[in-house]
C-alpha cells in the first residue's frame, strides 16, 4: 500500500507521530515516478535535488506550531504555471528553454503551505487540446488503459495523481481542462469560480476563461488544496476580494433538502448510454441522501462550443503575440529581417493546434468580421451565464456528466478537430459563466474506464459544491478504485 493511498490528514498524522518523515514522502513520489512514468509520461521536468533539500528543511520544523496546511505533501505542477528556477515550457517548443525568474502566486502559496514541488506536468501545448496529444514533448497515457488518452489539457496533472506518482497536482481549466481529464482518469478535479485563484504566473491562453485548480484522489484533500491557493492577489486585477472559507467545514455528509437541477441538455444527443446510466445512478444516490432532484433546461448551452472557440481563440491570438523570438524562448536562425524572424520563429515554434487557434482568433477579430463573430459570441456568452443565474435562483447545484463519453483511444480524434472540440461540450458552459464545477468519480464503463459526475455551483460557493461532492463520494466507493499499472 502506498503512502499516497491515505488522505492528507492521515499522512500528516503519521508525520506528527514520527512514523514517517517528509523525506519518505518525497522519495515515495520519485520511486513511483521511476516505476511507472516511462509508461504514463506525465512529467516533463523533475526537481529531485531541490525537493529532497526542502524535505530536510521541513522535517526540522516538524515540531513547530507554524506548519503550513499542506505540510510535507509532494505536489506536481502543470507546465504552464511558472516556477522560479524550474523550466516551464507550456509543452511548447517555443518555450523549450524558458527558465522563469519568479514564481506564480499559486506556487508561492504552495511553498507558504509547506508543500514540495516534485516537478512539472505534461499538457496540451499552451493548454489547447482535450487529450494531451498536442504536447511537443510526449503523449501522456491514461493509467487505466495506456492505449487511451488521459484527457486534456491537464492530462499530465490528472494522470500523475491517478498513477500514484503524487497525491496532489495543480491544473488549469479554460473550457474543461481540469474536469475532463479528472473524469477520464478517475480522480477529483475542481475548476474554481473565475477570480477565486490568482492567475498571476499562469501562461495565458484565454484570460477571461483560464482558472487554476486542484486535482486530488478525494474531495477532502481537494478542499485542503483549494483553501491553500485561493484568495485575493494584488498582482492579478481579476482576482476577487472574496473571503476564503474553511472548505473542510462544509464536508458534513448532510445534503438533506438541497435542491439539485439536472439540465435535460446534459443527458441528450451525443451523450453515451453508459454515461447517462452512471448519472442516473448518481442522482438516485443523491435522492437517497435527501436531496431534491428536478429536470431543468439550459437552452443556450448548445451554443457553448461555438461561443467558446471564437472567444478563447480570439484571446489566444492576442496573448500569444508575445512569443516572437525577441525576448525569451525559441528563436529561428537565418532570418533575413525582423518580419522574417517573427514568421520563422512562430512557424517553427508553435504546433499545429496552436497555429489553428491563432488563425481562427485573428480572423474573428479582424475588420469586417468582428461584429459577426467575436461580438456575437460575447452576447451569447451573456445568455449562457443568464441561464445559470436563473437556475441558481431556485436550485443549489446543477448536476450532470462531466464528459459525453469515457476516454477514447490515442490517435482516434487528433485529426478531427471538430470532434475533439465537441468533447468539452458539457464543461465549456461553466467557464463561460465563470461558476465553479467539480468532477468526481462516478463509476466505470464496460471497458473499465472511469466516468465522472460534474457538480456545478453558484459564484464563489465552492463550499456547497464540495458538500454535495463529498456526500456522494462517501456514499460510493468509486474513488477507492486504482488503475492496475
Amino acid at each position: 500500500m502506498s503512502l499516497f493511498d491515505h488522505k492528507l490528514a492521515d499522512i500528516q498524522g503519521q508525520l506528527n507521530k514520527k512514523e514517517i518523515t517528509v523525506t519518505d514522502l518525497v522519495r515515495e513520489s520519485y520511486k513511483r515516478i521511476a516505476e511507472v512514468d516511462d509508461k504514463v509520461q506525465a512529467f516533463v521536468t523533475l526537481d529531485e535535488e531541490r525537493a529532497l533539500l526542502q524535505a530536510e528543511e521541513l522535517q526540522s520544523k516538524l515540531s513547530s506550531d507554524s506548519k503550513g496546511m499542506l505540510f510535507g505533501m509532494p505536489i506536481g505542477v502543470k507546465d504552464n504555471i511558472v516556477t522560479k528556477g524550474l523550466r516551464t515550457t507550456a509543452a511548447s517548443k517555443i518555450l523549450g528553454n524558458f527558465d522563469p525568474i519568479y514564481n506564480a502566486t499559486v506556487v508561492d502559496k504552495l511553498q507558504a503551505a509547506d508543500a514540495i514541488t516534485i516537478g512539472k506536468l505534461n499538457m496540451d501545448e499552451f493548454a489547447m487540446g482535450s487529450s494531451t496529444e498536442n504536447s511537443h514533448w510526449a503523449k501522456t497515457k491514461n493509467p487505466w488503459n495506456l492505449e487511451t488518452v488521459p484527457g486534456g489539457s491537464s492530462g499530465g496533472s490528472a494522470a500523475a495523481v491517478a498513477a500514484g506518482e503524487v497525491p496532489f497536482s495543480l491544473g488549469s481549466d479554460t473550457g474543461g481542462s481540469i474536469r475532463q481529464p479528472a473524469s477520464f482518469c478517475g480522480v477529483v478535479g475542481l475548476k474554481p469560480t473565475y477570480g477565486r485563484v490568482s492567475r498571476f504566473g499562469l501562461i495565458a491562453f484565454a484570460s477571461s476563461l483560464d482558472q487554476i485548480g486542484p486535482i486530488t484522489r478525494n474531495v477532502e484533500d481537494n478542499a485542503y488544496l483549494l483553501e491553500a491557493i485561493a484568495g485575493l492577489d494584488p498582482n492579478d486585477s481579476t482576482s476577487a476580494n472574496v473571503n476564503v472559507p474553511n472548505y473542510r467545514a462544509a464536508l458534513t455528509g448532510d445534503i438533506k433538502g438541497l435542491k439539485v437541477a439536472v439540465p435535460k441538455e446534459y443527458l441528450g444527443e451525443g451523450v453515451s448510454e453508459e454515461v447517462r446510466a452512471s448519472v442516473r445512478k448518481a442522482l438516485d444516490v443523491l435522492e437517497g441522501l435527501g436531496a431534491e432532484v428536478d429536470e431543468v433546461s439550459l437552452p443556450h448551452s448548445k451554443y457553448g462550443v461555438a461561443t467558446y472557440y471564437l472567444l478563447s481563440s480570439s484571446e489566444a491570438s492576442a496573448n500569444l503575440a508575445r512569443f516572437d523570438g525577441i525576448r525569451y524562448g525559441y528563436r529561428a536562425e537565418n532570418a533575413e529581417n525582423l518580419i522574417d524572424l517573427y514568421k520563422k520563429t512562430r512557424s517553427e515554434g508553435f504546433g499545429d493546434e496552436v497555429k489553428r487557434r491563432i488563425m481562427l482568433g485573428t480572423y474573428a477579430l479582424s475588420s469586417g468580421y468582428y461584429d459577426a463573430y467575436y461580438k456575437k459570441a460575447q452576447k451569447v456568452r451573456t445568455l449562457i451565464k443568464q441561464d445559470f443565474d436563473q437556475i441558481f435562483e431556485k436550485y443549489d447545484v446543477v448536476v450532470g456528466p462531466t464528459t459525453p463519453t469515457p476516454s477514447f483511444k490515442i490517435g482516434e480524434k487528433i485529426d478531427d478537430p471538430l470532434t475533439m472540440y465537441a468533447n468539452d461540450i458539457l464543461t465549456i458552459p461553466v467557464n463561460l459563466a465563470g461558476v465553479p464545477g467539480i468532477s468526481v468519480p462516478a463509476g466505470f464503463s464496460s471497458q473499465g474506464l472511469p466516468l465522472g459526475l460534474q457538480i456545478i455551483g453558484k459564484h464563489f460557493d465552492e463550499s456547497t459544491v464540495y458538500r454535495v461532492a463529498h456526500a456522494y463520494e462517501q456514499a460510493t466507493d468509486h474513488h477507492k478504485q486504482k488503475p492496475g499499472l
Side-chain angles (χ1 to χ4, degrees):
M1 189 175 185
S2 166
L3 288 172
F4 302 155
D5 290 336
H6 300 283
K7 294 191 297 186
L8 179 149
D10 296 333
I11 293 172
Q12 291 188 335
Q14 290 177 286
L15 284 170
N16 290 331
K17 291 175 187 173
K18 299 187 177 176
E19 295 171 355
I20 58 171
T21 66
V22 179
T23 301
D24 290 337
L25 290 171
V26 171
R27 290 196 187 284
E28 176 96 357
S29 183
Y30 286 115
K31 176 173 173 281
R32 183 63 175 167
I33 290 167
E35 288 171 353
V36 303
D37 206 59
D38 60 328
K39 301 187 194 85
V40 178
Q41 296 187 286
F43 281 90
V44 292
T45 307
L46 295 172
D47 199 19
E48 186 167 3
E49 186 177 340
R50 190 160 50 165
L52 287 167
L53 283 173
Q54 193 180 349
E56 287 179 21
E57 289 171 13
L58 286 179
Q59 189 64 31
S60 68
K61 64 182 265 190
L62 181 62
S63 55
S64 164
D65 292 332
S66 60
K67 294 196 298 290
M69 66 189 304
L70 302 178
F71 182 82
M73 299 304 296
I75 188 165
V77 177
K78 188 175 178 179
D79 201 33
N80 60 347
I81 298 170
V82 301
T83 41
K84 185 177 180 180
L86 181 60
R87 189 178 73 139
T88 302
T89 74
S92 179
K93 177 181 178 180
I94 210 162
L95 282 176
N97 61 357
F98 179 49
D99 192 1
I101 58 173
Y102 67 96
N103 277 330
T105 295
V106 290
V107 175
D108 282 338
K109 283 178 173 276
L110 288 176
Q111 290 180 356
D114 291 332
I116 298 174
T117 300
I118 295 298
K120 305 303 287 291
L121 291 157
N122 198 25
M123 55 183 283
D124 285 296
E125 184 182 6
F126 284 102
M128 297 179 190
S130 304
S131 65
T132 316
E133 293 173 280
N134 293 325
S135 169
H136 177 67
W137 310 117
K139 288 179 171 63
T140 301
K141 316 296 192 300
N142 190 325
W144 291 90
N145 181 339
L146 297 171
E147 294 181 0
T148 65
V149 303
S153 62
S154 307
S157 299
V161 173
E165 296 175 299
V166 283
F168 298 160
S169 68
L170 288 186
S172 68
D173 193 310
T174 309
S177 289
I178 287 172
R179 290 158 291 148
Q180 186 247 23
S183 174
F184 279 5
C185 292
V187 292
V188 178
L190 176 93
K191 184 207 86 78
T193 306
Y194 184 80
R196 174 59 94 186
V197 177
S198 171
R199 291 184 301 108
F200 180 74
L202 174 68
I203 297 172
F205 162 18
S207 305
S208 75
L209 298 159
D210 298 339
Q211 191 65 175
I212 296 169
I215 297 176
T216 58
R217 284 271 188 92
N218 59 73
V219 174
E220 183 180 312
D221 287 359
N222 207 277
Y224 267 101
L225 189 46
L226 179 63
E227 196 172 326
I229 64 172
L232 179 66
D233 177 15
N235 289 323
D236 176 8
S237 62
T238 62
S239 85
N241 189 9
V242 178
N243 180 52
V244 179
N246 178 345
Y247 292 118
R248 288 157 290 143
L251 310 182
T252 61
D254 179 18
I255 58 168
K256 284 189 178 68
L258 217 73
K259 293 197 163 186
V260 175
V262 183
K264 61 184 181 183
E265 292 83 2
Y266 278 33
L267 294 171
E269 186 181 351
V271 179
S272 78
E273 190 49 48
E274 285 185 314
V275 169
R276 283 196 200 111
S278 75
V279 172
R280 290 190 193 106
K281 283 182 183 175
L283 293 172
D284 288 342
V285 170
L286 295 179
E287 283 188 310
L289 293 169
E292 298 174 19
V293 177
D294 291 325
E295 186 180 89
V296 298
S297 178
L298 289 170
H300 296 99
S301 62
K302 62 186 175 184
Y303 305 116
V305 172
T307 300
Y308 169 81
Y309 279 98
L310 282 168
L311 296 180
S312 65
S313 299
S314 297
E315 293 184 27
S317 168
N319 279 325
L320 271 61
R322 70 193 71 179
F323 302 107
D324 53 12
I326 302 297
R327 288 155 292 184
Y328 49 81
Y330 175 79
R331 178 185 291 190
E333 297 179 355
N334 304 318
E336 295 178 6
N337 52 48
L338 186 63
I339 299 301
D340 194 40
L341 175 65
Y342 291 159
K343 284 181 179 178
K344 282 188 172 179
T345 296
R346 290 166 68 80
S347 295
E348 295 169 15
F350 289 138
D352 289 345
E353 183 61 30
V354 174
K355 291 175 187 171
R356 185 181 290 122
R357 298 201 197 191
I358 289 173
M359 290 173 69
L360 173 60
T362 304
Y363 179 81
L365 291 173
S366 61
S367 176
Y369 298 99
Y370 178 91
D371 286 353
Y373 294 106
Y374 181 77
K375 188 175 177 182
K376 185 174 284 187
Q378 289 286 28
K379 289 179 176 179
V380 177
R381 178 181 190 167
T382 300
L383 295 174
I384 290 170
K385 179 186 177 295
Q386 287 173 351
D387 284 351
F388 279 106
D389 290 344
Q390 288 169 10
I391 284 177
F392 285 133
E393 287 174 8
K394 298 178 182 176
Y395 295 91
D396 298 294
V397 290
V398 172
V399 171
T402 309
T403 61
T405 65
S407 176
F408 45 88
K409 289 274 181 74
I410 292 168
E412 187 179 319
K413 298 184 181 182
I414 192 68
D415 295 324
D416 186 357
L418 293 179
T419 302
M420 184 76 84
Y421 296 169
N423 207 260
D424 297 329
I425 193 168
L426 302 172
T427 52
I428 279 171
V430 175
N431 296 80
L432 292 171
V435 293
I438 196 170
S439 179
V440 293
F444 295 86
S445 73
S446 56
Q447 274 76 45
L449 293 167
L451 304 172
L453 181 73
Q454 184 174 208
I455 302 162
I456 304 162
K458 302 172 186 176
H459 286 100
F460 299 105
D461 191 17
E462 285 86 359
S463 291
T464 301
V465 172
Y466 277 137
R467 182 179 157 201
V468 177
H470 181 257
Y472 172 74
E473 179 186 79
Q474 296 308 299
T476 59
D477 64 355
H478 309 309
H479 67 290
K480 296 177 183 176
Q481 311 301 315
K482 294 193 300 180
L485 265 177

